Amino acid sequence: MPIEKRVALVTGASRGIGQAIAKALASDESLTVIGTATSAEGASTISHYFAKWGLDGDGIVMDVADPLSVSEGIDQISSAYGPPLILVNNAGITRDGLLLRMKSDDWDSVVNTNLSAVYRTSKAVLKGMMKARWGRIINISSVVAQMGNPGQANYCAAKAGIEGFTRSMAREVATRDITVNAVAPGFIETDMTKDLPVDAQNAMLARVPIGRLGQASEVAAVVNFLASKQASYMTGECLHVNGGMYTG
């Protein structure tokens, strides 16, 4: 008998943590994974790596900061593959700067992309999940939501907001077998961290009790668990993947 496929949507999936999450989810043969990017080139990259891996997935253009783009993207996915029953809100940006010098546009763009987008995408998929009486929403937060970080007031506020949103939404939809959880990565090895000067890398490592940067695949493994049946009794939680930086 053919496997009945569920659709998983991962925002910001062209590289880094989003790409690792998309790969981990697509390794489950019961899932078709759709990854989003803000450009046609990024969407093509996502489609290419699914084909390279031999996994069931595709890339689409969807700008989570644009309400119309989100609405059209969800409609496109639902028509082509079915309604997304797993949503991973991973897309995000940074516009760092000390608050005294932070421009209003830098505050607004980070809050819009990192927090308001979570509201938009979650609301857009909720009808399909409610109808199916099953769903998984996993929001990517950050260790700095709890710790704070100088020069990132906008980013920290948005990530802290995600965690409050997660707890509130979890209570609203729990009776429909829809779970809502968050994952908060610490310092994760990316192309950007690899290019940092040695002194900067050492300063980062000094803050991590385990003594190394995390891997994107380690974050993806936690997301994969939260999307699984084994996590069906977990909701409203924030799981930390940070090498011991924050243990509250």
Side-chain angles (χ1 to χ4, degrees), residues 173-247:
V173 298
T175 58
R176 291 298 182 110
D177 202 12
I178 301 168
T179 64
V180 189
N181 291 288
V183 176
F187 291 157
I188 304 302
E189 186 175 307
T190 63
D191 293 339
M192 182 176 67
T193 58
K194 288 178 183 177
D195 293 336
L196 289 173
V198 173
D199 289 348
Q201 293 187 38
N202 290 338
M204 290 173 66
L205 290 175
R207 299 174 64 185
V208 184
I210 282 183
R212 66 172 176 85
L213 299 182
Q215 299 297 309
S217 60
E218 293 173 309
V219 179
V222 177
V223 173
N224 205 29
F225 166 68
L226 289 174
S228 71
K229 293 179 180 178
Q230 286 74 21
S232 59
Y233 202 56
M234 291 183 64
T235 195
E237 292 296 327
C238 181
L239 301 187
H240 293 271
V241 187
N242 60 37
M245 286 180 65
Y246 174 80
T247 58

Side-chain angles (χ1 to χ4, degrees), residues 31-115:
L31 296 180
T32 297
V33 180
I34 309 301
T36 77
T38 55
S39 68
E41 181 182 1
S44 178
T45 297
I46 296 169
S47 300
H48 174 76
Y49 69 59
F50 277 126
K52 178 181 176 182
W53 296 330
L55 299 175
D56 188 5
D58 201 2
I60 69 164
V61 176
M62 190 174 89
D63 182 358
V64 297
D66 180 355
L68 181 59
S69 181
V70 170
S71 176
E72 291 178 345
I74 299 299
D75 287 345
Q76 178 186 343
I77 295 166
S78 298
S79 297
Y81 303 97
L85 297 183
I86 296 171
L87 169 65
V88 182
N89 283 306
N90 170 72
I93 62 171
T94 57
R95 297 287 186 272
D96 297 349
L98 295 175
L99 187 63
L100 187 64
R101 302 185 184 94
M102 185 176 289
K103 298 176 181 177
S104 295
D105 286 348
D106 291 339
W107 174 274
D108 291 342
S109 60
V110 167
V111 171
N112 184 32
T113 302
N114 295 16
L115 178 58

